[in-house]
Amino acid sequence: MDTPVVEKHQAKLIVIDDGGKDIPTQITDNIQENRRFIWWALLFLNGSCLWAYYSCLSAQSYYASRFAKTTFDFAYLTTPVTTWPIFVGHLIQVAFGLDKKLGMWNRVRIGYALNALSAFAIILQNAFNAEPQTGATIVIIAFGVIGVTDSLTESSFFALSALFPESSFTDAIQMGDGTSGFINVTLNTLIQLCVGGIHPAAKDSEDIQKISFYIFFSVFILVCFLAVYVFWRLMQVPAVKYLMQRNEAETVRRALNKETYGEMWARLVRIGGVVILPTLCQFVIFLCSLTAFPGISIKAGFQMAGASGGTWGSWYTNGVLLSYNYGDFIGRVISPWFYRFFTIKSCFVWTVLRWVLFIFILIGLPGGGKNPLFAMADAPVFNQIWLLFINFMLGITSGVLSTITFGLGPRLVAQEDRESAGAIMCLGLFLGISLGATIDWQFGANHWLGA
């Protein structure tokens, strides 16, 4: 691995994986000159995509009270309603080459415009006090639209990061994910403390829900506009402009050669064959994470709360969200130091072994006598700590393994194939999230093991 000579204060940031051998020296030099802005821009951009998802997740108490008398169970529906549109939208783009035809700039503008409109719709249904069933329907549809638009924006950022000759920019994308969750759940917890204290009254709980709700979705609308501007500024960096133009030139070349769908699919299959293992890693990592989090652990908390319910259950929900998201954030922060210890093959082995954490969560699920794995009946306090710790480990392992596999995967192929490699790996990621969220939903809907 040949690493360019850089100034001493920059050296700790340089992680050139393939030496940029097929990229002109002046471009690799420009990357180093602008690397801090590029890195932080990518972190912010992917974090902006995830802000909507985490806002939807953090507002569980609001949905529970606002839509209590509707046919929708938001405790389990929030995630699958958002994630399946991401996967389906991305699959259609990749299968028919729409991601290439639309281009990154158009995808970003369209995506954030629709995101902002969806956030407005969610806010207005509450502001105008829409009938609960109608309001719930509007929110569900808005979640689906946000999912589709994330397939435009988030996949664009993953694709852009894959064009760089080093994994640190893909790490920035992953850090954006973790940072968004970290800030969101922390802010949600602080709002509860400031408004209602540790033991909020019923009226204060309602105020907390509304304040959190308006803050998260109002900030999201602002973030949508800011993200479009940041992406535009990012495109003005000469190195980024070169990588994007080179990638677009390859798309134009294929169009001029009248590439058929058969030829395009054959090319995608060829690239997919090279990145099959890291794609499987992404799928298995998020299948495990979303099957276990957040539904089952939150349900376990309310079961442990029993008749005392209310405040205790709400705070334990915060504990679960904080544990996983703090773990995920820490995992993504420390992952650059762990590359040396992992290969694609060892990552896959660890993603499979990681399923033991799901079993550990079931060991702490009371289940009302329906869960034969429950082993904490005589240690309720230890069980509370146990579940929070396992969720933390679930998050930290997700952060490390997902970051490293996405950092290594696209760089297994040639420069002109990296956007497609990133898109294929996103399919594995989105499918894992969607299927895991659906399994988690079914645990709650069918009361499997008393969940």
Side-chain angles (χ1 to χ4, degrees), residues 299-300 302-304 362 364-374 377 447-451:
K299 181 65 70 173
F302 279 106
Q303 289 177 355
M304 286 187 286
L362 293 180
L365 173 69
K370 296 181 181 179
N371 178 16
L373 296 177
F374 180 54
H447 304 293
W448 292 338
L449 301 179

Side-chain angles (χ1 to χ4, degrees), residues 24-37:
T25 303
Q26 64 267 31
I27 298 302
T28 56
D29 288 344
N30 189 255
I31 290 174
Q32 305 311 328
E33 292 169 8
N34 295 280
R35 64 178 302 109
R36 292 185 185 277
F37 170 70

Side-chain angles (χ1 to χ4, degrees), residues 57 81 142 180 183 189 210-211 241 317 355 376 379 401 404:
L57 193 63
V81 166
S180 183
I183 294 174
T189 303
K210 289 185 177 180
I211 291 171
K241 185 179 293 187
T317 296
W355 276 95
M376 302 287 184
L401 292 171
I404 291 176

